[in-house]
Amino acid sequence: MGLLNLAEQVVLWWMCYSCIGWVWETGLNLVLKHKWVDRGALNGPICPIYGNGALLVLLLLHDVTNPVALFLGSGVIACTLEYVVSWQYERMFHIRLWDYTDKPFNINGRVYLNGFLAFGAGATLVKLVVQPWLAQLTATIPQPWLHIAAWGLLAVAFVDWMASTMGMADMDNRLARLGEDVKAGRLEAIDKANDDMAEANARMEQRLAQVQRSAQERLDQTRERIDDTIADIRAARRRDESAALDRLTKDHVRRALSRQQVRLLRAFPSLRSSTHRELTDRIHDLLER
């Protein structure tokens, strides 16, 4: 087998395991949350971290056949990769796609025990069962078709990766602008509420001045009615402001963020911006409604 032929087969292996990872992530979310969400970090139906993890296990543990050793080694490799990718995303894009802080036995919220167990078991299955069958299958592909499939899929994945990376890199800037818009809208709502309350207080003073000539009992009754009216105004204004702010924020989310960025926020409920955490919490709440 020539080097080019092997490299092209490796590309197909990587794509296959990346697609399997996407099916696993999306299917698991569908089963546990009864909700269809595209769980890929890229726009296409692939999770590259699964493909990278599988290839690392096949490369680094190529001579390991003991299931226990393979399980432990695979878990360590997978968790190390997951930790590095999480740290790199946060360093480069100021976002965390996943956060296991609330999970038991986690390390800085980037990896946790269940992930170690799942990845260890999955990689062991891949190494002992899936890979021999897959390698045999790709070896039977005629050379011309292997060239077309490998280079075509690699080109599509590269374009997708570039577009997704640009979207992630731009997310922090868009969140910053969105935060300014929301802040401006919030201040506008508060100013309007203050103006309305000032107007209501002025009307109250006017009415009090008019009834001061009346009997004390009538004055007390009027005060009670006015207090009730003011309380109703305040309650209605709070409801209106909250509803208006929600609509404003949701509209801004759809306008200010790209379709890919909104999809990522839907796909990763624990996605948080390290510089705009409160805002991403707010967006998650709105998108889940």
Side-chain angles (χ1 to χ4, degrees):
M1 181 187 300
L3 186 60
L4 178 60
N5 184 279
L6 176 61
E8 290 172 342
Q9 290 192 54
V10 169
V11 170
L12 296 186
W13 300 345
W14 177 84
M15 183 62 70
C16 181
Y17 292 128
S18 296
C19 289
I20 290 174
W22 179 86
V23 171
W24 166 258
E25 288 282 344
T26 304
L28 189 64
N29 187 81
L30 184 62
V31 170
L32 296 180
K33 299 184 178 180
H34 309 287
K35 183 179 179 183
W36 168 264
V37 177
D38 181 352
R39 288 278 295 169
L42 303 188
N43 294 303
I46 59 174
C47 288
I49 193 171
Y50 280 83
N52 295 340
L55 293 185
L56 279 175
V57 167
L58 294 175
L59 175 65
L60 299 178
L61 305 179
H62 66 277
D63 57 348
V64 177
T65 56
N66 182 282
V68 175
L70 191 56
F71 169 79
L72 296 175
S74 298
V76 170
I77 291 172
C79 285
T80 301
L81 176 64
E82 186 178 25
Y83 192 100
V84 170
V85 170
S86 173
W87 172 80
Q88 194 68 17
Y89 270 125
E90 189 166 4
R91 179 173 173 271
M92 292 176 61
F93 307 127
H94 309 293
I95 61 173
R96 271 199 181 195
L97 288 182
W98 56 84
D99 189 353
Y100 305 128
T101 303
D102 60 337
K103 305 290 186 182
F105 306 105
N106 74 84
I107 301 177
N108 295 329
R110 302 186 191 278
V111 295
Y112 78 118
L113 180 60
N114 282 13
F116 174 89
L117 298 176
F119 292 141
T124 301
L125 181 66
V126 164
K127 174 70 167 54
L128 298 179
V129 179
V130 179
Q131 181 56 27
W133 171 82
L134 183 61
Q136 186 177 6
L137 178 65
T138 56
T140 62
I141 299 176
Q143 198 70 29
W145 289 109
L146 182 62
H147 288 324
I148 294 172
W151 291 102
L153 290 173
L154 190 61
V156 170
F158 179 76
V159 171
D160 191 354
W161 175 78
M162 286 292 293
S164 301
T165 300
M166 291 171 62
M168 290 183 192
D170 188 44
M171 182 178 285
D172 197 54
N173 292 331
R174 291 188 179 229
L175 285 173
R177 292 195 296 270
L178 179 59
E180 291 300 321
D181 290 344
V182 171
K183 183 179 179 182
R186 192 190 308 272
L187 291 175
E188 183 180 346
I190 291 174
D191 288 342
K192 188 176 186 306
N194 288 338
D195 291 341
D196 289 344
M197 287 307 303
E199 184 179 345
N201 285 331
R203 289 199 302 268
M204 180 187 71
E205 294 296 336
Q206 230 174 14
R207 293 187 64 181
L208 284 175
Q210 292 172 358
V211 299
Q212 277 179 354
R213 295 184 296 272
S214 303
Q216 186 63 40
E217 181 180 350
R218 184 178 176 184
L219 179 60
D220 291 341
Q221 292 174 351
T222 303
R223 284 182 184 276
E224 290 177 4
R225 287 197 299 271
I226 290 175
D227 287 343
D228 291 341
T229 301
I230 292 297
D232 291 341
I233 291 174
R234 284 175 175 164
R237 177 55 57 194
R238 281 195 298 269
R239 290 193 299 271
D240 291 344
E241 286 170 15
S242 178
L245 186 57
D246 283 352
R247 287 194 299 271
L248 172 67
T249 307
K250 198 163 188 175
D251 289 342
H252 271 76
V253 167
R254 299 188 185 282
R255 289 197 302 265
L257 301 182
S258 69
R259 182 178 299 180
Q260 177 215 351
Q261 291 163 349
V262 172
R263 186 189 65 77
L264 283 175
L265 286 160
R266 289 185 184 277
F268 296 92
S270 59
L271 186 155
R272 296 294 182 273
S273 167
S274 56
T275 53
H276 307 284
R277 183 177 179 86
E278 197 173 316
L279 179 58
T280 46
D281 286 340
R282 175 78 167 180
I283 293 173
H284 279 299
D285 180 59
L286 289 171
L287 293 178
E288 288 172 5
R289 294 182 185 179

